[in-house]
Amino acid sequence: MDFTTSIAGVRFPSCFMNAAGARCVTREELETLGRSQAGAIVTKSMTLEPRQGNPEPRYYAFTNGSINSMGLPNLGYRAYAALIPELRRFGKPIVASVAGFGEEDFVTIATAINASKPDLIEVNLSCPNIPGEPQIGYDADVTERLLKRVRKVVTTPMGVKLPPYFDPAHQDKMAQILDRVGVEFLSVINSVGNGLVVDLEKESVVIKPKGGFGGLGGPLIKPMALANVRAFWKLFGGRVPIIGTGGIASGGDAFEHLLCGASAVQVGTAFVEEGTGVFERLESELAVVLGKKGYDSASACVGKLKEL
Ligand code: DHB
């Protein structure tokens, strides 16, 4: 089965990769991804300075998903700028995820990371876990101003990691902004922000930061992810490639994302839970689904969702 895909002219040996944030902070984690079956190496969202992140426990998995409030633990952009050329030796695309605490940060980081030549730059507009900081992607004006500045300094194919939207008007507005700015791909969706999970035995929250509120991932967010992938695929008429993220725990889940319009998929919670073996498992499960349905490649079913 052919799992290769292409995004913004970059060829991926497999359509499965890690989601930014999932086991991709340290050199060791990034090298492990390099050696794995994953079709790309996606970095943790990087900030200006290195960060320890929020106090633990800050990630918790339960039956239907996960909740996290990591607080952007990362090595700082200088370390990733130095690492990216070294990660080239694994011969697969490198996707640099860029975050920040203000427009200036994004511009500084994007400039330096662009110079280190990753294959794609994913601008994270959707970190929900920094106390006192709203998600950029929920503010249309800030998003447009920020992206116009970042766009000017980035020559690498650039995309955005979007938060989930729950209203078509918000998706329309964001699509118009992204059209004006010009982005080469979309990663859809980030975690569903500010959920709350309760341990009824302990009568307690399950993570420490922010009183237990955190970003939800895993199977429970799949319908929100599929809806956003589909909505943006339609809004752009299939012309802007989409990396689908959210709730991919089986080959069938990946197939659903492809049908909705994703050209590749990122795996967060399932990768954290299973490690790199998840990429082989998902490929073999997707091979069975595609084979049964008569598709000879993953790319053949992209966007083919039927409507009634
Ligand atoms: C974190 C979580 C996110 O969902 C994200 O997009 C960026 C950062 C975090 O808490 O580290």
Side-chain angles (χ1 to χ4, degrees), residues 25-228:
V25 173
T26 63
R27 167 194 288 270
E28 194 190 0
E29 287 173 331
L30 293 165
E31 289 178 343
T32 299
L33 281 163
R35 285 188 294 269
S36 78
Q37 186 92 352
I41 305 172
V42 184
T43 73
K44 172 69 182 170
S45 293
M46 58 192 81
T47 53
L48 220 42
E49 301 303 332
R51 290 172 58 84
Q52 295 291 325
N54 291 336
E56 295 180 338
R58 58 192 187 182
Y59 169 88
Y60 177 87
F62 51 101
T63 326
N64 265 323
S66 68
I67 184 167
N68 86 82
S69 183
M70 306 301 287
L72 284 171
N74 78 99
L75 306 177
Y77 79 97
R78 294 173 191 86
Y80 296 107
L83 257 173
I84 286 168
E86 291 187 46
L87 296 171
R88 285 257 151 260
R89 71 184 189 278
F90 294 105
K92 59 175 82 170
I94 299 161
V95 183
S97 173
V98 170
F101 293 99
E103 286 175 43
E104 226 41 64
D105 290 11
F106 276 89
V107 173
T108 305
I109 298 167
T111 304
I113 284 297
N114 185 63
S116 76
K117 299 199 185 320
D119 295 275
L120 301 178
I121 291 181
E122 186 180 273
V123 179
N124 184 359
L125 299 179
S126 45
C127 179
N129 297 331
I130 305 301
E133 298 273 340
Q135 290 194 33
I136 296 164
Y138 285 153
D139 186 324
D141 295 336
V142 175
T143 295
E144 183 155 12
R145 221 173 44 228
L146 171 75
L147 288 179
K148 281 186 169 155
R149 289 189 63 188
V150 173
R151 183 72 271 187
K152 284 205 181 92
V153 300
V154 168
T155 52
T156 306
M158 173 183 132
V160 287
K161 178 80 168 270
L162 295 175
Y165 297 101
F166 303 98
D167 191 303
H170 295 157
Q171 290 156 341
D172 289 353
K173 190 157 194 177
M174 188 52 54
Q176 284 166 23
I177 290 169
L178 296 172
D179 206 32
R180 285 198 289 274
V181 171
V183 292
E184 277 96 7
F185 72 97
L186 311 176
S187 290
V188 177
I189 58 175
N190 208 318
S191 46
V192 175
N194 299 294
L196 187 64
V197 172
V198 172
D199 181 329
L200 75 85
E201 290 302 329
K202 296 185 181 154
E203 304 175 34
S204 169
V205 300
V206 297
I207 56 173
K208 185 175 171 74
K210 290 177 53 170
F213 289 82
L216 302 170
L220 81 107
I221 75 164
K222 189 178 68 171
M224 278 84 102
L226 295 175
N228 278 274

Side-chain angles (χ1 to χ4, degrees), residues 264-286:
V265 294
Q266 295 180 341
V267 187
T269 300
F271 172 44
V272 172
E273 293 305 306
E274 286 177 50
T276 51
V278 78
F279 300 112
E280 286 148 58
R281 178 175 69 77
L282 292 173
E283 271 198 2
S284 57
E285 289 177 9
L286 180 59

